[in-house]
Each structure stands twice: as structure tokens, then as C-alpha cells.
Amino acid sequence: MYLSARTQGRLANLIITIAEGEKKTEMVRQVLAEQKMFEPYTAFRRLDQLRTGELTVSDIVEFLSDNKIYPTKAQSDYLFRRLDLNRDGRITYPDFVKAVLPKEDSRLRQIATLRDSYYIEVNMLLPTEIEWGLSRVFQQEIQNFNSITAAQEILTASADFTSLDAFRCIDQVFLGYITIDTLQDFLRQNGAKLSFDELTAFFRVVDSDEDGRITYSELLEALTFVPDFFQQERQIANELRRSRERIIQIEREREVLEDLKKSRERVDELRRSRERLEQMQDLKRSRERIEQLDELRRSRERLEDLRKSRERLEDLKKSRERLNQLEELKKSRQRVEELEELKKSRERQAQIDELKKSRERLEDLRKSRERLEQLEQERKNQEKIEELRKSRSRIEELQNQRKKIEELRTSQERLEQLKRQKEEIEIKRSQERLEDLRKSRERLEQIEALRQSREQQRALEELRQSRERVEQLRKSQLRIEQLENERQVLERSRQLERVERELEYERQRSKERLERLELEAELERRARDRALEYDLATQSNFVQSRIYDTPKRYK
């Protein structure tokens, strides 16, 4: 081990002394916070007689001297260090509040901070219980300083003691810092037991940066009251490191902003290219629609031709039916004529031959006409067959074209699907990029919003504080007369109390004086009695000696 068992026990005793002193101070803080007339800002103004907003060592010493406490220079310096929590050489109102209010009881701390402040003049005292409670807090800190100084002297008197060895004895895990667990293990090894509250109290005193860890410089200052001379250099190095990190972060933010700008430009380009592609697709679609319209127009023309051919066929059918009707009419006329001829045959026997001849001629003409009609009909049928064949070939060509169009359409659909898939992939990638950009933009907006919200909160906090101060001033102005009256009543009561105390004191002194006078008179009386007795004895002896020594003159 680095230190002997005896030195480790002294180190544990110092730690226990610091923890117990902080617990006692916490109890005094709670007693002070329970006072109804205690308000931190008013107490701060009581100490800040010059109204500078800061406290100095002389202010604290004057306050303690007003309460019949006279600290030494070392005690006043220690008390100043205990109140100056942020170690900036000034005791401001936040430092005073943190040092005076309870640290374990949040309810009491909140109650004390929410109390209304009241006006106090320069060189004016707080109520007696508040003056006593606040001076008791400072006095307890001074007592802690005395006990810690005594324990430090005992520890540093050890021959094998060094601050680094003490730190290594506690930090047995070699973490480079001390935690509550390592401290508790060290105390257990040395036969000391501290509760969790006492350990947290020790950390409140020693852990100056309140990060839950005790470094070597913090332990050195707690053990020997000697600050770490390299702490300032470490702080400067830490500040330089933080400034470098901030510069790197700013550069990264700039790079991110540049990337955002580039990505925005890329997004604009992608959007423009997408618009162009959409325009090209629209043009392609319009061309395809135009081609489809041309094909539809052609197919309509073909259908129109087919319809016309159907109409022609219907006309042919109708003409054929008319020819049949005409033939039937002719037959009917012939029959009528035959009947007429048969009727007139008897009358016109001479004309029978001529009628026969004419009939034969008509028959020949009819046959020739029928042949001509048959030939014409065959020719028309052949033309119709040719037209049907052509229409069939056209229909087949149309079907082939349709198949080709369907194949082209399927290929185009496949190409479109592939294009869509590519576009979807590109869109997904662009959407991911846009999502990343949007997230980064949202982060920037959140950072900006947080900064603005913090500024707004600060402004609102300042406004709220100013309003509270105005309200407090208004309330204090309203309460000034009451407080003045109460002050006068209190002063009268205090004067009466002082008069009563003085009367009591005078009575006691008069009693003591009477007792002293009686004792002196008794002593004088006794001395006189003794002197008289002594004189009487001497005189009697003298008389007797004279009687025995003188001769008899007369008989």
C-alpha cells in the first residue's frame, strides 16, 4: 500500500470530519430556511451594505462582528471560499443562495426562494431569528474549518503522507478520479462507516465542478487547503480544447451547410431533370397517342370502307330483289298479256304467229338479258370476293399489326417498368438524400429554434424577473408602512426589552453589590470585632501586667 494503516485511518478521520461538518451545516441551513421571515435576496442585501451586487470578505466580517462573532483572517478566507462556489473571486447572489439554502431538502429550498422579499435599508438589521440563523450558518462553517484544520494537521504530521499517495489509496481501481463507491470501499477497509447522505455531503464540499467525480486537484485542495497550481493551466488547456472542438464543430457545420447547399442544388437539378424527363415522357406519350390516333383513324377509314362495302352489298341485295320483283312483274304482265292474247286469240288468229315470233324474240331477249344479268352478277360476285379477300388480307394485316403493336406495347411497358423501377430507385435515393437533408435541416432548425427558444426564455426570464422585481417593489412599497410601523413597534419592544434587560442587569448588579457590601460589612465587622477583641485582650494583659508590676504605695 502507498500509506500506512495509521495514516489511512487519519485520512478516513479527515473525510469523516468533512462529511459530519457538512451535515451539521445542512441542519443549520434547514433551520434557517424554516424561518418564515427568511428570504434569500433580503438577507443578501443585508450583507451587501454598499449595494454593489457582490459580497466581499469585509462584508462578511462586518456581519459576523454585528452578531458578536470575530473570525480570524484564515477563517474569513475559508468562509469566503465556501461561499464563492464558482471560484471567480466574487460572491454574487446565485453563489449566496446556493451556499445558504438547504441542499438536501428541495421543498424547503423552494419555499424559501418563493417567499416575498421585503425592503431593507442600509445598516438595518434583519429580524433577530434571521440574524441568529444566518450567523449560525457562518459560525458552523468556521467550526468546520477549525475541526478540518485540526484533522489536517494530524494527517500532514504523518511522515509517509503525500497527497498523491492519499489519492492512490482511495482510487484503488486506477480510474483517475474518485467516485462514491471507491470512497465507500476505502472507508470500509479502514473500519469507518458513512451513510449515503454523508458521502453525498462530502462530495458537495470537495467536488467543486459537481460532476460526481473527485479529481486529484479537488482532493488536494480539500486535504491541505492548497490549490492545484496547474489547475489554471488545465483550465486553459480545457478551454483551448473546447475552443478547438467548437471550431471543428463550426467547420463541420459549415461543411454540412455546404453539403446542404450542394444537395439543394442537386435536388433542384434532379427536380429539373425530373421535370424534363416528365416532359419527355409527356412528349413520348403524346407521340404515342398521335400514332394511336393515326392508327385509329386508319382503322376508322378501313371500317368506313367495310361499312361502305356492306352498304354496297345491301344495295346489291336490294337491286337484286327489285330485279326479281321486276321479273315477277314482267311474268305477271306476260301472263296478263297471254290472257289477253288468249282472249283475243280467237279474235286475232292472224296475229298468233306474229305474237309467237314476238314471244320467241322476247324469250330470247329475256334469256340473253338473264345471261347478261348472270354474267354481271358473277362479275360483281367476283369483285365482291376480291374485295372480301382484300378485306380479309387487310384484317389479317391489321391483326398482325395489332399483334406487333401489342408486342411493342408489352416491350414498351416492360421498358417503362424498367424505367419506372430505375426512376423509383433514383427517386428513393433522392428521397433518402432529401430525407437526410430534411433531417439535417430539421436539426439545424431545431438548433436555431433551441437557440431562439433559449434567447426567448432568457428574455422571458428577464421580463419575469423584472416583473417580479416590479411586483416585489410594489408590494414592498405597500408593505413599507406596515414594516415601518412594525419596525417602530419592534424597536419600541426592543427598547423595552433592552430597558428591562438593563433594569434586570442593574438589579442583578445591585443585588451583587449589596451582597458584596454585606459581605464586606460582615468582614469589616468581624475584623473590627477581632481587632476589638485583640485590643481588649492586649489592654487586659497590659492592665494585669501593670497591676502586677506596680508596687503598693498605700497600705
Side-chain angles (χ1 to χ4, degrees):
M1 296 300 289
Y2 299 102
L3 298 176
S4 62
R6 186 176 181 182
T7 308
Q8 289 183 17
R10 291 177 178 179
L11 178 59
N13 186 21
L14 177 58
I15 292 168
I16 292 166
T17 304
I18 294 170
E20 288 178 352
E22 177 61 21
K23 285 295 290 181
K24 291 177 183 177
T25 309
E26 180 65 20
M27 291 173 67
V28 178
R29 290 194 198 105
Q30 291 180 6
V31 171
L32 177 62
E34 287 175 354
Q35 300 295 328
K36 293 182 180 179
M37 291 297 292
F38 173 70
E39 197 278 321
Y41 185 70
T42 308
F44 181 77
R45 287 176 65 84
R46 161 68 179 89
L47 272 72
D48 186 15
Q49 295 292 333
L50 300 176
R51 299 293 188 265
T52 58
E54 299 173 359
L55 297 180
T56 60
V57 179
S58 60
D59 294 331
I60 298 168
V61 172
E62 286 177 2
F63 172 75
L64 292 173
S65 62
D66 290 338
N67 290 277
K68 305 296 178 65
I69 300 170
Y70 304 100
T72 61
K73 188 178 184 303
Q75 291 172 352
S76 59
D77 292 337
Y78 174 77
L79 186 58
F80 184 83
R81 288 198 303 272
R82 288 290 296 136
L83 293 175
D84 184 16
L85 296 176
N86 56 2
R87 307 299 173 85
D88 59 350
R90 300 179 302 168
I91 299 174
T92 57
Y93 176 66
D95 295 334
F96 179 78
V97 169
K98 287 181 181 179
V100 171
L101 290 179
K103 297 182 180 180
E104 293 180 358
D105 196 345
S106 60
R107 183 184 64 82
L108 275 176
R109 184 170 61 249
Q110 188 176 6
I111 290 168
T113 52
L114 291 175
R115 289 194 185 109
D116 295 331
S117 62
Y118 50 90
Y119 179 73
I120 184 169
E121 294 180 356
V122 179
N123 297 325
M124 182 178 174
L125 298 177
L126 292 168
T128 308
E129 60 272 14
I130 308 302
E131 288 274 339
W132 179 83
L134 189 57
S135 62
R136 187 79 180 87
V137 173
F138 294 160
Q139 188 179 9
Q140 184 62 45
E141 290 288 351
I142 293 168
Q143 290 176 1
N144 294 341
F145 171 73
N146 295 329
S147 59
I148 291 167
T149 305
Q152 283 177 355
E153 290 176 355
I154 294 169
L155 178 63
T156 53
S158 300
D160 59 343
F161 172 75
T162 58
S163 58
L164 185 60
D165 290 337
F167 183 79
R168 288 175 179 173
C169 282
I170 299 172
D171 184 22
Q172 296 178 4
V173 195
F174 300 105
L175 296 172
Y177 53 87
I178 297 170
T179 61
I180 292 176
D181 295 330
T182 56
L183 182 61
Q184 195 170 12
D185 293 336
F186 170 74
L187 293 172
R188 284 175 183 172
Q189 289 174 5
N190 290 279
K193 291 182 180 180
L194 285 179
S195 63
F196 184 76
D197 294 336
E198 291 174 343
L199 290 170
T200 53
F202 176 76
F203 267 75
R204 278 202 305 272
V205 176
V206 180
D207 189 10
S208 57
D209 54 359
E210 297 179 358
D211 59 348
R213 300 173 180 178
I214 297 173
T215 59
Y216 171 70
S217 60
E218 293 172 348
L219 185 67
L220 175 64
E221 189 173 358
L223 295 178
T224 60
F225 288 151
V226 177
D228 190 3
F229 295 104
F230 298 100
Q231 187 175 6
Q232 190 174 2
E233 296 178 357
R234 289 174 186 171
Q235 288 177 357
I236 293 166
N238 291 327
E239 288 177 357
L240 288 171
R241 182 173 56 78
R242 288 171 185 172
S243 61
R244 286 177 184 173
E245 289 177 355
R246 286 175 185 173
I247 290 165
I248 292 166
Q249 189 175 2
I250 290 164
E251 289 178 354
R252 287 177 182 174
E253 288 177 355
R254 285 180 182 174
E255 290 177 357
V256 170
L257 288 171
E258 289 177 358
D259 293 332
L260 284 171
K261 288 180 182 178
K262 290 179 182 179
S263 60
R264 284 178 183 174
E265 291 176 357
R266 288 175 184 174
V267 168
D268 294 330
E269 289 178 359
L270 288 169
R271 184 170 54 77
R272 290 173 186 172
S273 62
R274 189 176 179 182
E275 289 177 354
R276 289 175 185 173
L277 288 170
E278 288 178 355
Q279 289 178 359
M280 293 293 290
Q281 288 177 359
D282 292 332
L283 288 171
K284 286 181 181 179
R285 288 172 185 172
S286 60
R287 285 178 183 175
E288 289 175 356
R289 286 176 183 175
I290 289 165
E291 289 177 357
Q292 288 177 0
L293 289 171
D294 291 332
E295 289 178 358
L296 287 170
R297 184 172 57 77
R298 289 172 186 173
S299 61
R300 282 179 183 176
E301 288 177 355
R302 289 171 185 172
L303 289 170
E304 189 69 24
D305 294 332
L306 289 170
R307 187 176 62 77
K308 288 179 180 179
S309 62
R310 284 179 183 176
E311 288 178 354
R312 288 175 185 175
L313 287 170
E314 287 178 356
D315 292 332
L316 288 170
K317 285 180 182 178
K318 288 178 181 179
S319 61
R320 189 174 179 182
E321 288 176 355
R322 287 176 183 175
L323 287 170
N324 293 322
Q325 288 176 0
L326 287 169
E327 286 176 357
E328 287 177 357
L329 287 170
K330 285 178 180 179
K331 287 179 181 178
S332 61
R333 283 178 183 178
Q334 287 174 1
R335 286 175 185 175
V336 169
E337 287 175 356
E338 285 176 359
L339 289 170
E340 287 177 354
E341 284 176 359
L342 286 170
K343 287 179 180 178
K344 291 177 179 180
S345 60
R346 290 177 183 179
E347 295 176 355
R348 295 177 181 179
Q349 288 179 356
Q351 295 178 352
I352 291 168
D353 296 329
E354 292 178 359
L355 288 170
K356 286 181 180 179
K357 290 178 180 179
S358 60
R359 189 176 180 180
E360 288 175 356
R361 289 174 182 175
L362 286 170
E363 187 69 23
D364 293 330
L365 288 169
R366 186 177 66 77
K367 288 178 180 179
S368 61
R369 190 174 179 179
E370 285 178 356
R371 287 177 182 175
L372 288 170
E373 287 178 355
Q374 287 177 358
L375 291 169
E376 186 69 21
Q377 191 172 2
E378 286 176 358
R379 187 178 64 79
K380 288 179 179 180
N381 289 324
Q382 286 178 359
E383 288 178 355
K384 289 177 181 178
I385 288 164
E386 285 293 327
E387 287 178 355
L388 290 168
R389 191 178 293 166
K390 289 178 179 179
S391 63
R392 284 179 182 176
S393 62
R394 286 177 182 175
I395 288 163
E396 289 177 355
E397 287 176 357
L398 289 170
Q399 288 178 354
N400 293 321
Q401 288 178 358
R402 188 175 180 181
K403 288 179 180 178
K404 289 178 180 179
I405 289 163
E406 287 179 354
E407 289 176 354
L408 289 170
R409 189 178 293 169
T410 54
S411 63
Q412 285 179 357
E413 287 177 354
R414 289 175 183 175
L415 290 171
E416 286 178 356
Q417 286 179 356
L418 292 171
K419 286 179 181 179
R420 286 175 184 173
Q421 289 177 357
K422 288 180 180 179
E423 287 176 355
E424 286 177 356
I425 292 165
E426 291 177 355
I427 288 165
K428 285 180 180 178
R429 290 177 181 174
S430 61
Q431 284 178 355
E432 290 176 354
R433 292 175 183 173
L434 287 169
E435 188 68 24
D436 295 332
L437 293 171
R438 185 177 63 77
K439 288 179 180 178
S440 58
R441 189 173 179 182
E442 287 178 354
R443 288 175 184 172
L444 290 172
E445 289 177 354
Q446 287 177 358
I447 292 165
E448 189 67 24
L450 285 170
R451 186 177 63 79
Q452 291 178 0
S453 64
R454 285 178 181 174
E455 290 178 356
Q456 289 177 0
Q457 285 178 359
R458 287 177 184 172
L460 289 170
E461 188 67 24
E462 289 176 357
L463 287 171
R464 186 180 65 76
Q465 289 178 0
S466 61
R467 286 178 182 173
E468 286 178 355
R469 288 176 183 173
V470 170
E471 188 68 24
Q472 288 175 1
L473 288 171
R474 186 176 63 78
K475 290 180 180 179
S476 62
Q477 286 177 359
L478 291 172
R479 291 181 182 177
I480 282 168
E481 294 179 357
Q482 295 178 0
L483 292 170
E484 189 67 27
N485 294 325
E486 290 178 359
R487 186 177 64 80
Q488 290 176 1
V489 172
L490 287 170
E491 286 179 356
R492 289 175 183 174
S493 63
R494 286 176 184 174
Q495 288 176 359
L496 290 170
E497 287 177 358
R498 287 176 185 173
V499 170
E500 288 178 356
R501 288 175 184 174
E502 289 176 356
L503 288 170
E504 188 68 27
Y505 182 67
E506 290 294 333
R507 285 175 186 171
Q508 289 179 359
R509 289 183 68 182
S510 62
K511 285 180 181 179
E512 289 176 356
R513 286 176 184 174
L514 288 169
E515 288 177 356
R516 287 177 184 176
L517 290 171
E518 287 177 355
L519 287 170
E520 288 175 357
E522 185 69 26
L523 291 171
E524 286 178 358
R525 189 176 59 78
R526 288 179 182 178
R528 286 174 185 174
D529 290 338
R530 287 177 183 175
L532 288 170
E533 287 178 356
Y534 180 74
D535 290 337
L536 290 170
T538 52
Q539 285 177 6
S540 64
N541 291 326
F542 179 72
V543 171
Q544 287 177 3
S545 65
R546 288 293 297 273
I547 291 169
Y548 289 113
D549 291 335
T550 55
K552 294 181 180 179
R553 292 180 181 180
Y554 302 102
K555 291 181 180 179

